[in-house]
Amino acid sequence: MANNKNANKAQAKRPASKKPVTHSKKALAEFEEQQRIMDEEAQANKNRIFSIVIFALSVLFFFVAVIPGESVWNFVHNSYLGLFGWVASIIFPVLSLVYSFLCHKNNVSKKMIAEPICIVLIVLFVSTFIYIVKASSGAQFLDTCKQEFADAPYTVNGGFFGAVLGWALMTMGKAPAIVIDLLMIVVVIMLLSRVTVNQFFKNTTKPVRAVVENATPIIEER
């Protein structure tokens, strides 16, 4: 009997088993919506910080490209120009500045990875184009790369990267190298701007059409 009484007391002291908490579909939908809003706010904050960093670096490297300076600044200036050349060294921060604005304006849930790759490719192909236009066939690879890197701060050339890619394309001849390089620039610009072939040609022919339409009455009058 004593054992039965103790068992009954132990069972009485045990807390009643809790029933599993169930949520209605409406509550679950509200919770998911709140979570989505929190995720978007967190991503928007990351995009904002990333955009500010890219903006600051773009402005910094633009002035690094155009101002020689002294000491460490001059070393960075010469190295930066030596890698890309004058023209591409200025184009790079300008395109990066545009990218920083796109990061801030873009949909917060979208990761912009393809855009920086396209920007880098445009800069490299611009450097390559400048090298191809100025260079002549038959140059030694290592000597050419070293010379382009050393001369870049003092003259307009393609820099080190332009020499590397340009020398490889020049093995096919100067004219084919120019055609291929310009074609790659156009393709990368189309990928960056996310336009189709029809849209690209329609946009590029608009200025020509405008000139023709404005010039036609004058020609007819004369």
Side-chain angles (χ1 to χ4, degrees), residues 30-79:
E30 291 178 353
F31 175 77
E32 290 177 356
E33 181 64 19
Q34 292 176 357
Q35 187 65 36
R36 184 185 66 81
I37 293 173
M38 291 174 61
D39 291 341
E40 287 185 352
E41 290 177 350
Q43 185 63 41
N45 189 47
K46 290 180 182 179
N47 284 3
R48 181 180 63 83
I49 296 173
F50 184 69
S51 175
I52 292 172
V53 172
I54 295 297
F55 171 79
L57 290 175
S58 301
V59 174
L60 176 63
F61 273 89
F62 176 81
F63 287 107
V64 166
V66 299
I67 300 175
E70 297 179 359
S71 188
V72 177
W73 182 283
N74 188 57
F75 173 78
V76 176
H77 167 82
N78 291 338
S79 300

Short mmCIF file of all heavy atoms in Angstrom, two decimals, residues 30-79:
data_model
loop_
_atom_site.label_atom_id
_atom_site.label_comp_id
_atom_site.label_asym_id
_atom_site.label_seq_id
_atom_site.Cartn_x
_atom_site.Cartn_y
_atom_site.Cartn_z
N GLU A 30 2.57 35.21 -41.65
CA GLU A 30 3.05 36.47 -41.07
C GLU A 30 4.49 36.33 -40.59
O GLU A 30 5.31 37.25 -40.77
CB GLU A 30 2.15 36.88 -39.90
CG GLU A 30 0.75 37.31 -40.32
CD GLU A 30 -0.12 37.66 -39.13
OE1 GLU A 30 0.34 37.42 -37.98
OE2 GLU A 30 -1.23 38.16 -39.34
N PHE A 31 4.81 35.17 -40.00
CA PHE A 31 6.18 34.95 -39.53
C PHE A 31 7.16 34.92 -40.71
O PHE A 31 8.25 35.51 -40.65
CB PHE A 31 6.25 33.64 -38.75
CG PHE A 31 7.64 33.26 -38.33
CD1 PHE A 31 8.25 33.89 -37.25
CD2 PHE A 31 8.36 32.29 -39.02
CE1 PHE A 31 9.53 33.55 -36.86
CE2 PHE A 31 9.64 31.94 -38.64
CZ PHE A 31 10.22 32.57 -37.55
N GLU A 32 6.79 34.23 -41.78
CA GLU A 32 7.65 34.18 -42.98
C GLU A 32 7.83 35.56 -43.59
O GLU A 32 8.92 35.90 -44.05
CB GLU A 32 7.05 33.21 -43.99
CG GLU A 32 7.12 31.76 -43.57
CD GLU A 32 6.46 30.83 -44.57
OE1 GLU A 32 5.89 31.35 -45.55
OE2 GLU A 32 6.51 29.60 -44.37
N GLU A 33 6.77 36.35 -43.59
CA GLU A 33 6.87 37.71 -44.14
C GLU A 33 7.80 38.57 -43.29
O GLU A 33 8.62 39.33 -43.82
CB GLU A 33 5.48 38.34 -44.20
CG GLU A 33 5.43 39.75 -44.77
CD GLU A 33 5.85 39.81 -46.22
OE1 GLU A 33 5.83 38.76 -46.90
OE2 GLU A 33 6.20 40.91 -46.68
N GLN A 34 7.68 38.46 -41.97
CA GLN A 34 8.58 39.20 -41.08
C GLN A 34 10.03 38.78 -41.29
O GLN A 34 10.94 39.63 -41.32
CB GLN A 34 8.17 38.99 -39.63
CG GLN A 34 6.85 39.64 -39.25
CD GLN A 34 6.44 39.32 -37.83
OE1 GLN A 34 7.12 38.56 -37.12
NE2 GLN A 34 5.32 39.87 -37.39
N GLN A 35 10.25 37.47 -41.44
CA GLN A 35 11.61 36.98 -41.68
C GLN A 35 12.16 37.48 -43.00
O GLN A 35 13.34 37.86 -43.10
CB GLN A 35 11.61 35.44 -41.66
CG GLN A 35 12.99 34.81 -41.73
CD GLN A 35 13.83 35.12 -40.51
OE1 GLN A 35 13.31 35.20 -39.40
NE2 GLN A 35 15.13 35.33 -40.71
N ARG A 36 11.31 37.51 -44.03
CA ARG A 36 11.74 38.02 -45.35
C ARG A 36 12.12 39.49 -45.27
O ARG A 36 13.13 39.92 -45.84
CB ARG A 36 10.63 37.82 -46.37
CG ARG A 36 11.00 38.22 -47.80
CD ARG A 36 9.81 38.11 -48.71
NE ARG A 36 8.79 39.08 -48.36
CZ ARG A 36 8.84 40.36 -48.73
NH1 ARG A 36 9.85 40.81 -49.46
NH2 ARG A 36 7.87 41.19 -48.37
N ILE A 37 11.32 40.27 -44.53
CA ILE A 37 11.62 41.70 -44.39
C ILE A 37 12.94 41.91 -43.64
O ILE A 37 13.76 42.75 -44.02
CB ILE A 37 10.46 42.41 -43.66
CG1 ILE A 37 9.20 42.40 -44.52
CG2 ILE A 37 10.85 43.84 -43.31
CD1 ILE A 37 7.97 42.93 -43.83
N MET A 38 13.17 41.10 -42.60
CA MET A 38 14.43 41.20 -41.85
C MET A 38 15.62 40.83 -42.72
O MET A 38 16.67 41.49 -42.68
CB MET A 38 14.37 40.30 -40.62
CG MET A 38 13.39 40.77 -39.55
SD MET A 38 13.21 39.59 -38.19
CE MET A 38 14.88 39.54 -37.55
N ASP A 39 15.46 39.78 -43.54
CA ASP A 39 16.55 39.38 -44.44
C ASP A 39 16.83 40.47 -45.48
O ASP A 39 18.00 40.75 -45.79
CB ASP A 39 16.18 38.07 -45.15
CG ASP A 39 16.15 36.89 -44.20
OD1 ASP A 39 16.73 36.99 -43.11
OD2 ASP A 39 15.50 35.87 -44.55
N GLU A 40 15.80 41.08 -46.01
CA GLU A 40 15.98 42.14 -47.00
C GLU A 40 16.66 43.36 -46.37
O GLU A 40 17.52 43.99 -47.00
CB GLU A 40 14.63 42.55 -47.60
CG GLU A 40 14.05 41.53 -48.56
CD GLU A 40 12.79 42.04 -49.22
OE1 GLU A 40 12.29 43.12 -48.81
OE2 GLU A 40 12.29 41.37 -50.15
N GLU A 41 16.29 43.69 -45.15
CA GLU A 41 16.93 44.83 -44.46
C GLU A 41 18.40 44.54 -44.20
O GLU A 41 19.26 45.42 -44.36
CB GLU A 41 16.19 45.12 -43.16
CG GLU A 41 14.80 45.72 -43.35
CD GLU A 41 14.09 45.94 -42.03
OE1 GLU A 41 14.61 45.45 -41.00
OE2 GLU A 41 13.03 46.58 -42.04
N ALA A 42 18.71 43.29 -43.80
CA ALA A 42 20.11 42.93 -43.55
C ALA A 42 20.91 42.98 -44.84
O ALA A 42 22.04 43.49 -44.87
CB ALA A 42 20.19 41.54 -42.93
N GLN A 43 20.32 42.46 -45.95
CA GLN A 43 21.02 42.49 -47.24
C GLN A 43 21.18 43.92 -47.74
O GLN A 43 22.21 44.27 -48.32
CB GLN A 43 20.24 41.65 -48.25
CG GLN A 43 20.92 41.50 -49.60
CD GLN A 43 22.23 40.77 -49.49
OE1 GLN A 43 22.32 39.79 -48.74
NE2 GLN A 43 23.24 41.21 -50.19
N ALA A 44 20.15 44.75 -47.51
CA ALA A 44 20.24 46.15 -47.92
C ALA A 44 21.35 46.87 -47.16
O ALA A 44 22.07 47.71 -47.74
CB ALA A 44 18.90 46.85 -47.69
N ASN A 45 21.51 46.55 -45.89
CA ASN A 45 22.57 47.17 -45.10
C ASN A 45 23.94 46.73 -45.60
O ASN A 45 24.88 47.54 -45.71
CB ASN A 45 22.41 46.79 -43.63
CG ASN A 45 23.34 47.57 -42.73
OD1 ASN A 45 23.45 48.79 -42.83
ND2 ASN A 45 24.01 46.87 -41.83
N LYS A 46 24.08 45.43 -45.97
CA LYS A 46 25.34 44.94 -46.54
C LYS A 46 25.64 45.63 -47.87
O LYS A 46 26.77 46.03 -48.13
CB LYS A 46 25.27 43.42 -46.74
CG LYS A 46 25.26 42.63 -45.45
CD LYS A 46 25.18 41.13 -45.75
CE LYS A 46 25.13 40.31 -44.47
NZ LYS A 46 25.03 38.86 -44.75
N ASN A 47 24.61 45.77 -48.71
CA ASN A 47 24.80 46.44 -49.99
C ASN A 47 25.22 47.89 -49.81
O ASN A 47 26.04 48.41 -50.56
CB ASN A 47 23.50 46.38 -50.81
CG ASN A 47 23.26 45.02 -51.42
OD1 ASN A 47 24.04 44.10 -51.20
ND2 ASN A 47 22.19 44.86 -52.16
N ARG A 48 24.63 48.54 -48.80
CA ARG A 48 24.97 49.95 -48.53
C ARG A 48 26.44 50.08 -48.13
O ARG A 48 27.16 50.94 -48.65
CB ARG A 48 24.05 50.50 -47.44
CG ARG A 48 24.29 51.97 -47.10
CD ARG A 48 23.33 52.40 -46.00
NE ARG A 48 23.56 51.67 -44.79
CZ ARG A 48 24.50 51.97 -43.89
NH1 ARG A 48 25.32 53.01 -44.09
NH2 ARG A 48 24.65 51.27 -42.80
N ILE A 49 26.89 49.22 -47.23
CA ILE A 49 28.28 49.26 -46.78
C ILE A 49 29.22 48.95 -47.94
O ILE A 49 30.23 49.63 -48.16
CB ILE A 49 28.51 48.29 -45.61
CG1 ILE A 49 27.68 48.73 -44.41
CG2 ILE A 49 29.98 48.21 -45.25
CD1 ILE A 49 27.69 47.74 -43.26
N PHE A 50 28.87 47.91 -48.71
CA PHE A 50 29.70 47.52 -49.86
C PHE A 50 29.76 48.64 -50.88
O PHE A 50 30.81 48.92 -51.47
CB PHE A 50 29.13 46.25 -50.48
CG PHE A 50 29.95 45.70 -51.61
CD1 PHE A 50 31.20 45.14 -51.38
CD2 PHE A 50 29.48 45.75 -52.91
CE1 PHE A 50 31.96 44.64 -52.42
CE2 PHE A 50 30.23 45.24 -53.96
CZ PHE A 50 31.47 44.69 -53.72
N SER A 51 28.63 49.30 -51.12
CA SER A 51 28.58 50.41 -52.08
C SER A 51 29.46 51.57 -51.63
O SER A 51 30.16 52.17 -52.44
CB SER A 51 27.13 50.89 -52.23
OG SER A 51 27.06 52.03 -53.06
N ILE A 52 29.45 51.87 -50.33
CA ILE A 52 30.29 52.96 -49.81
C ILE A 52 31.77 52.63 -49.97
O ILE A 52 32.58 53.49 -50.35
CB ILE A 52 29.94 53.23 -48.33
CG1 ILE A 52 28.52 53.81 -48.22
CG2 ILE A 52 30.95 54.19 -47.69
CD1 ILE A 52 28.02 53.93 -46.80
N VAL A 53 32.13 51.37 -49.69
CA VAL A 53 33.54 50.95 -49.82
C VAL A 53 33.99 51.06 -51.28
O VAL A 53 35.08 51.59 -51.57
CB VAL A 53 33.72 49.51 -49.29
CG1 VAL A 53 35.12 49.00 -49.60
CG2 VAL A 53 33.47 49.47 -47.79
N ILE A 54 33.18 50.57 -52.22
CA ILE A 54 33.52 50.64 -53.64
C ILE A 54 33.62 52.09 -54.09
O ILE A 54 34.51 52.46 -54.86
CB ILE A 54 32.48 49.89 -54.48
CG1 ILE A 54 32.52 48.39 -54.14
CG2 ILE A 54 32.73 50.07 -55.96
CD1 ILE A 54 33.83 47.71 -54.46
N PHE A 55 32.70 52.93 -53.61
CA PHE A 55 32.73 54.36 -53.96
C PHE A 55 34.04 54.99 -53.50
O PHE A 55 34.70 55.72 -54.26
CB PHE A 55 31.54 55.07 -53.32
CG PHE A 55 31.58 56.56 -53.43
CD1 PHE A 55 31.22 57.20 -54.61
CD2 PHE A 55 32.01 57.33 -52.36
CE1 PHE A 55 31.26 58.58 -54.71
CE2 PHE A 55 32.06 58.71 -52.45
CZ PHE A 55 31.69 59.34 -53.63
N ALA A 56 34.43 54.73 -52.25
CA ALA A 56 35.65 55.32 -51.71
C ALA A 56 36.89 54.84 -52.47
O ALA A 56 37.77 55.65 -52.82
CB ALA A 56 35.78 54.98 -50.23
N LEU A 57 36.95 53.55 -52.77
CA LEU A 57 38.10 53.01 -53.51
C LEU A 57 38.14 53.55 -54.94
O LEU A 57 39.23 53.82 -55.48
CB LEU A 57 38.04 51.49 -53.53
CG LEU A 57 38.29 50.79 -52.19
CD1 LEU A 57 38.08 49.29 -52.33
CD2 LEU A 57 39.70 51.08 -51.68
N SER A 58 36.97 53.72 -55.55
CA SER A 58 36.92 54.25 -56.92
C SER A 58 37.47 55.67 -56.98
O SER A 58 38.28 56.00 -57.85
CB SER A 58 35.48 54.22 -57.44
OG SER A 58 34.96 52.92 -57.42
N VAL A 59 37.02 56.50 -56.05
CA VAL A 59 37.52 57.89 -56.01
C VAL A 59 39.01 57.91 -55.72
O VAL A 59 39.77 58.67 -56.33
CB VAL A 59 36.73 58.70 -54.95
CG1 VAL A 59 37.33 60.09 -54.79
CG2 VAL A 59 35.27 58.80 -55.34
N LEU A 60 39.45 57.06 -54.77
CA LEU A 60 40.86 57.02 -54.42
C LEU A 60 41.73 56.65 -55.61
O LEU A 60 42.72 57.33 -55.91
CB LEU A 60 41.07 56.02 -53.27
CG LEU A 60 42.52 55.79 -52.84
CD1 LEU A 60 43.14 57.06 -52.30
CD2 LEU A 60 42.60 54.66 -51.81
N PHE A 61 41.35 55.59 -56.33
CA PHE A 61 42.18 55.14 -57.44
C PHE A 61 42.09 56.06 -58.65
O PHE A 61 43.00 56.09 -59.46
CB PHE A 61 41.82 53.70 -57.82
CG PHE A 61 42.56 52.69 -57.02
CD1 PHE A 61 42.06 52.23 -55.81
CD2 PHE A 61 43.79 52.21 -57.44
CE1 PHE A 61 42.76 51.31 -55.06
CE2 PHE A 61 44.50 51.28 -56.70
CZ PHE A 61 43.98 50.83 -55.50
N PHE A 62 41.00 56.82 -58.76
CA PHE A 62 40.95 57.82 -59.82
C PHE A 62 42.02 58.87 -59.60
O PHE A 62 42.75 59.24 -60.52
CB PHE A 62 39.57 58.47 -59.87
CG PHE A 62 39.48 59.58 -60.87
CD1 PHE A 62 39.27 59.30 -62.22
CD2 PHE A 62 39.60 60.91 -60.48
CE1 PHE A 62 39.19 60.33 -63.15
CE2 PHE A 62 39.53 61.93 -61.40
CZ PHE A 62 39.32 61.64 -62.74
N PHE A 63 42.15 59.34 -58.36
CA PHE A 63 43.17 60.34 -58.05
C PHE A 63 44.57 59.74 -58.03
O PHE A 63 45.55 60.43 -58.32
CB PHE A 63 42.85 61.04 -56.73
CG PHE A 63 41.70 62.00 -56.82
CD1 PHE A 63 40.48 61.69 -56.25
CD2 PHE A 63 41.84 63.20 -57.49
CE1 PHE A 63 39.42 62.58 -56.35
CE2 PHE A 63 40.79 64.09 -57.59
CZ PHE A 63 39.57 63.77 -57.02
N VAL A 64 44.66 58.46 -57.68
CA VAL A 64 45.97 57.78 -57.78
C VAL A 64 46.44 57.78 -59.23
O VAL A 64 47.63 57.95 -59.52
CB VAL A 64 45.87 56.35 -57.23
CG1 VAL A 64 47.09 55.53 -57.65
CG2 VAL A 64 45.78 56.36 -55.71
N ALA A 65 45.50 57.61 -60.16
CA ALA A 65 45.85 57.55 -61.58
C ALA A 65 46.27 58.91 -62.13
O ALA A 65 47.16 58.99 -62.98
CB ALA A 65 44.68 57.00 -62.40
N VAL A 66 45.65 59.99 -61.66
CA VAL A 66 45.88 61.31 -62.27
C VAL A 66 46.89 62.17 -61.51
O VAL A 66 47.37 63.17 -62.04
CB VAL A 66 44.55 62.08 -62.42
CG1 VAL A 66 43.60 61.32 -63.33
CG2 VAL A 66 43.89 62.33 -61.07
N ILE A 67 47.21 61.80 -60.26
CA ILE A 67 48.14 62.60 -59.46
C ILE A 67 49.39 61.77 -59.15
O ILE A 67 49.29 60.72 -58.50
CB ILE A 67 47.49 63.06 -58.14
CG1 ILE A 67 46.25 63.91 -58.43
CG2 ILE A 67 48.49 63.84 -57.29
CD1 ILE A 67 45.49 64.32 -57.18
N PRO A 68 50.58 62.21 -59.59
CA PRO A 68 51.80 61.43 -59.33
C PRO A 68 52.14 61.33 -57.85
O PRO A 68 52.39 60.24 -57.33
CB PRO A 68 52.88 62.19 -60.10
CG PRO A 68 52.14 63.00 -61.11
CD PRO A 68 50.83 63.35 -60.48
N GLY A 69 52.14 62.44 -57.12
CA GLY A 69 52.47 62.44 -55.71
C GLY A 69 53.92 62.10 -55.42
O GLY A 69 54.78 62.15 -56.29
N GLU A 70 54.18 61.71 -54.19
CA GLU A 70 55.54 61.38 -53.75
C GLU A 70 55.51 60.14 -52.86
O GLU A 70 54.46 59.70 -52.40
CB GLU A 70 56.17 62.55 -52.98
CG GLU A 70 56.34 63.83 -53.79
CD GLU A 70 56.93 64.96 -52.97
OE1 GLU A 70 57.18 64.74 -51.77
OE2 GLU A 70 57.11 66.06 -53.54
N SER A 71 56.70 59.59 -52.64
CA SER A 71 56.90 58.48 -51.72
C SER A 71 55.97 57.31 -52.04
O SER A 71 55.93 56.84 -53.17
CB SER A 71 56.71 58.96 -50.28
OG SER A 71 57.08 57.96 -49.36
N VAL A 72 55.21 56.83 -51.04
CA VAL A 72 54.36 55.65 -51.21
C VAL A 72 53.29 55.91 -52.26
O VAL A 72 52.97 55.04 -53.09
CB VAL A 72 53.70 55.27 -49.87
CG1 VAL A 72 52.76 54.09 -50.06
CG2 VAL A 72 54.77 54.92 -48.84
N TRP A 73 52.71 57.12 -52.25
CA TRP A 73 51.69 57.46 -53.24
C TRP A 73 52.25 57.34 -54.66
O TRP A 73 51.59 56.80 -55.55
CB TRP A 73 51.16 58.86 -52.99
CG TRP A 73 50.08 59.30 -53.93
CD1 TRP A 73 50.23 59.72 -55.23
CD2 TRP A 73 48.68 59.33 -53.67
NE1 TRP A 73 49.03 60.02 -55.80
CE2 TRP A 73 48.05 59.79 -54.86
CE3 TRP A 73 47.89 59.04 -52.57
CZ2 TRP A 73 46.67 59.96 -54.95
CZ3 TRP A 73 46.51 59.21 -52.65
CH2 TRP A 73 45.92 59.66 -53.83
N ASN A 74 53.46 57.84 -54.87
CA ASN A 74 54.07 57.78 -56.19
C ASN A 74 54.35 56.33 -56.61
O ASN A 74 54.20 55.97 -57.79
CB ASN A 74 55.37 58.58 -56.20
CG ASN A 74 55.95 58.70 -57.59
OD1 ASN A 74 55.30 59.19 -58.51
ND2 ASN A 74 57.18 58.25 -57.75
N PHE A 75 54.74 55.51 -55.64
CA PHE A 75 54.97 54.09 -55.95
C PHE A 75 53.67 53.40 -56.39
O PHE A 75 53.65 52.65 -57.37
CB PHE A 75 55.55 53.39 -54.72
CG PHE A 75 55.66 51.90 -54.87
CD1 PHE A 75 56.69 51.34 -55.61
CD2 PHE A 75 54.72 51.05 -54.28
CE1 PHE A 75 56.79 49.96 -55.77
CE2 PHE A 75 54.81 49.68 -54.42
CZ PHE A 75 55.85 49.13 -55.17
N VAL A 76 52.58 53.67 -55.65
CA VAL A 76 51.28 53.09 -56.02
C VAL A 76 50.83 53.63 -57.37
O VAL A 76 50.29 52.90 -58.21
CB VAL A 76 50.23 53.39 -54.92
CG1 VAL A 76 48.86 52.88 -55.34
CG2 VAL A 76 50.65 52.75 -53.60
N HIS A 77 51.05 54.93 -57.60
CA HIS A 77 50.69 55.56 -58.87
C HIS A 77 51.41 54.89 -60.04
O HIS A 77 50.78 54.51 -61.04
CB HIS A 77 51.05 57.05 -58.80
CG HIS A 77 51.03 57.76 -60.11
ND1 HIS A 77 49.86 58.23 -60.68
CD2 HIS A 77 52.02 58.08 -60.99
CE1 HIS A 77 50.14 58.80 -61.84
NE2 HIS A 77 51.44 58.73 -62.05
N ASN A 78 52.71 54.72 -59.92
CA ASN A 78 53.49 54.11 -61.00
C ASN A 78 53.11 52.63 -61.21
O ASN A 78 53.03 52.15 -62.34
CB ASN A 78 54.98 54.22 -60.71
CG ASN A 78 55.48 55.66 -60.79
OD1 ASN A 78 54.85 56.51 -61.44
ND2 ASN A 78 56.59 55.94 -60.12
N SER A 79 52.88 51.93 -60.11
CA SER A 79 52.52 50.51 -60.22
C SER A 79 51.14 50.33 -60.85
O SER A 79 50.95 49.47 -61.71
CB SER A 79 52.54 49.85 -58.83
OG SER A 79 53.82 49.94 -58.25
#
